[in-house]
Amino acid sequence: MRSPIFDYLDSILTATSGISSGETAQYIPELASADPSRAAVALCTVNGTVYASGDADHGFSIQSMSKPFAYAAAIEAHGLEAVLERIGVEPSGEAFNELSLDPVTGRPRNPMINAGAIVAHALVDDGGGEGAGPMLDLFSRLAGHPLEVDEAVAASELATADRNLGLAYLLHAAKALEVEPRRAVTGYIRQCAVAVTVRDLALMAATLANGGVQPETGERVLSRGTTRHVLSVMTSCGMYDAAGDWLTSVGIPAKSGVAGGIIGVLPGQVGVAVLSPRLDAHGNSARGVEMMRRLSEDLGLHLMEASRPARSSLREVRTEQTRAGTATVYVLQGDLVLSSIESLVRTLVESPPPTAQVVFDMSRVDEVLPVARRTAAETAARLIDEGHRIAIIDPESTVPRFQDSRGRPVDRWEGLTAS
């Protein structure tokens, strides 16, 4: 049985396919020539399961989505207080490449704009143009496999790096950057040119969602304190001068990149990533922003959402004799959002019920969000197609009327009746 979560991600791509506004990053020749029709979406749970749709294996450069991770590396290497002396944490309200520093301290305003990102990179890797150094190693650990620099993108960016060089010389003059400016910019650009896929990015985002532990490998890559701080800065500064609109409409820590990618994090639940190369006036993917907005709305991702999801919706699985014969009973719990019901769907896909009769006991369920209801209905339809009979125990009428996705009624039981 194919998980209906894949179908949901397919629907996100279909629903946003008509968005063609914006254009590729024209100031970097290699990015300007990118195929604007590319589109992908992926999510990764904190348990390490990745779901992806579209051009999920297409490689593109990480660009500014590298900034939160480089900032985290600087904190891990030098400590938070030392990094705060060099880089602020206030939203700038300006474009990502603005030529400005704090007028009082001379520091970059935050690590998510280019000025702050150049300083963060220099704090960790001052090796210059020979490679991305520690950044490449860190990104590979976050993604769970070796990554490489896209040399064509790096060369294209280096050839048009005047603005970043101007920032670096300003920083150097203000004594905020101790590394030679050209070496710092070369290393920073190579950091941004690391090639990734949306699968890689979803895993990297899920590492932040998982408190710094890579979900597939189980390696603690970042400390819990560093992760919390980085997510806080992403929330307020990650989407540049559109950060306020983003926080109110999407409501998750996020970071965009000018190759068309966006990553988002719901702490404790999932990491998400999207790709679409056309950029809006803020330098964020136009279609990607809408994909993320739909994901947030459908999945209940907004940080201000009052739901209380468990990491898993599945409390217990047992076999029991009922009035309809031997049944496999799945006991659910908590508020059902996609991130919590995903564990149930994965269990059903990997270990199909051994009995014809399947019962879902919702006695301990408080609330079911629309996306969880839709996912559950599609799962029920597939179980029925495979010959199972479905029943639901729902004494509190948590689900007012339960049908599968094809309109077929599902039996409602008030309780199990022993035979």
Side-chain angles (χ1 to χ4, degrees):
M1 183 175 75
R2 182 177 188 259
S3 171
I5 296 173
F6 290 108
D7 297 330
Y8 167 69
L9 295 181
D10 290 345
S11 75
I12 290 290
L13 292 178
T14 300
T16 60
S17 61
I19 298 175
S20 59
S21 59
E23 61 181 8
T24 56
Q26 296 298 299
Y27 61 97
I28 300 173
E30 197 69 20
L31 300 187
S33 63
D35 181 355
S37 68
R38 293 281 189 185
V41 55
L43 66 84
C44 179
T45 70
V46 291
N47 296 319
T49 304
V50 179
Y51 301 91
S53 180
D55 298 311
D57 296 315
H58 170 67
F60 59 101
S61 54
I62 191 170
Q63 296 299 326
S64 289
M65 292 177 290
S66 67
K67 291 173 180 176
F69 304 108
Y71 182 51
I75 295 170
E76 296 278 286
H78 299 280
L80 178 58
E81 293 305 316
V83 174
L84 289 175
E85 291 178 1
R86 299 295 190 90
I87 309 169
V89 293
E90 294 298 329
S92 68
E94 297 175 331
F96 65 92
N97 59 355
E98 190 67 24
L99 293 167
S100 67
L101 303 175
D102 186 284
V104 177
T105 66
R107 299 179 305 173
R109 294 187 185 275
N110 66 69
M112 302 300 150
I113 56 176
N114 288 13
I118 291 169
V119 173
H121 175 88
L123 285 171
V124 179
D125 181 14
D126 62 355
E130 296 304 315
M135 291 297 94
L136 186 58
D137 175 67
L138 174 62
F139 298 168
S140 298
R141 291 163 63 201
L142 290 162
H145 69 94
L147 300 176
E148 296 180 352
V149 175
D150 185 323
E151 296 294 347
V153 171
S156 185
E157 289 198 60
L158 283 168
T160 56
D162 289 353
R163 195 170 186 89
N164 280 329
L165 283 168
L167 282 170
Y169 279 106
L170 278 175
L171 290 163
H172 195 262
K175 303 189 183 304
L177 180 69
E178 296 181 356
V179 177
E180 195 277 321
R182 187 170 292 275
R183 292 183 63 183
V185 169
T186 299
Y188 166 67
I189 284 175
R190 292 183 65 79
Q191 166 193 306
C192 291
V194 171
V196 291
T197 67
V198 292
R199 293 181 187 275
D200 297 329
L201 291 170
L203 273 161
M204 295 170 78
T207 302
L208 296 178
N210 202 30
V213 176
Q214 213 277 359
E216 282 190 334
T217 65
E219 178 190 2
R220 174 163 288 285
V221 182
L222 302 169
S223 71
R224 196 169 278 276
T226 294
T227 303
R228 183 181 65 243
H229 180 80
V230 169
L231 288 173
S232 299
V233 177
M234 287 173 67
T235 302
S236 60
C237 307
M239 299 300 282
Y240 306 127
D241 48 335
D245 288 341
W246 177 270
L247 184 57
T248 54
S249 62
V250 181
I252 58 175
K255 189 71 199 78
S256 61
V258 294
I262 303 175
I263 58 171
V265 179
L266 185 61
Q269 294 192 54
V270 295
V272 294
V274 298
L275 167 68
S276 180
R278 291 189 181 97
L279 308 180
D280 63 19
H282 304 286
N284 303 320
S285 168
R287 184 178 177 185
V289 167
E290 178 59 17
M291 284 194 277
M292 294 291 278
R293 189 195 67 77
R294 288 174 179 267
L295 285 165
S296 178
E297 183 175 323
D298 290 346
L299 309 188
L301 300 184
H302 201 293
L303 288 173
M304 305 309 166
E305 180 68 46
S307 62
R308 308 173 304 283
R311 182 168 287 197
S312 171
S313 64
L314 187 57
R315 177 185 176 93
E316 179 186 4
V317 182
R318 64 175 185 265
T319 302
E320 189 158 330
Q321 290 298 317
T322 74
R323 66 193 182 199
T326 303
T328 304
V329 182
Y330 296 88
V331 182
L332 309 184
Q333 64 182 357
D335 292 342
L336 301 189
V337 300
L338 183 65
S339 60
S340 60
I341 205 172
E342 181 274 336
S343 61
L344 169 64
V345 175
R346 180 158 37 90
T347 296
L348 292 168
V349 170
E350 295 175 354
S351 302
T355 60
Q357 183 70 54
V358 179
V359 178
F360 295 102
D361 184 351
M362 302 187 60
S363 303
R364 295 177 174 84
V365 172
D366 299 316
E367 183 180 1
V368 184
L369 291 189
V371 69
R373 185 177 295 119
R374 185 165 61 247
T375 302
E378 185 58 38
T379 302
R382 296 181 186 197
L383 288 172
I384 292 170
D385 287 342
E386 293 179 0
H388 295 283
R389 300 187 305 275
I390 309 297
I392 183 171
I393 302 170
D394 188 17
E396 300 297 326
S397 296
T398 306
V399 182
R401 193 177 76 176
F402 195 89
Q403 295 180 332
D404 72 28
S405 63
R406 300 176 194 179
R408 295 172 291 197
V410 175
D411 293 340
R412 184 180 296 278
W413 293 357
E414 294 303 320
L416 292 176
T417 304
S419 59

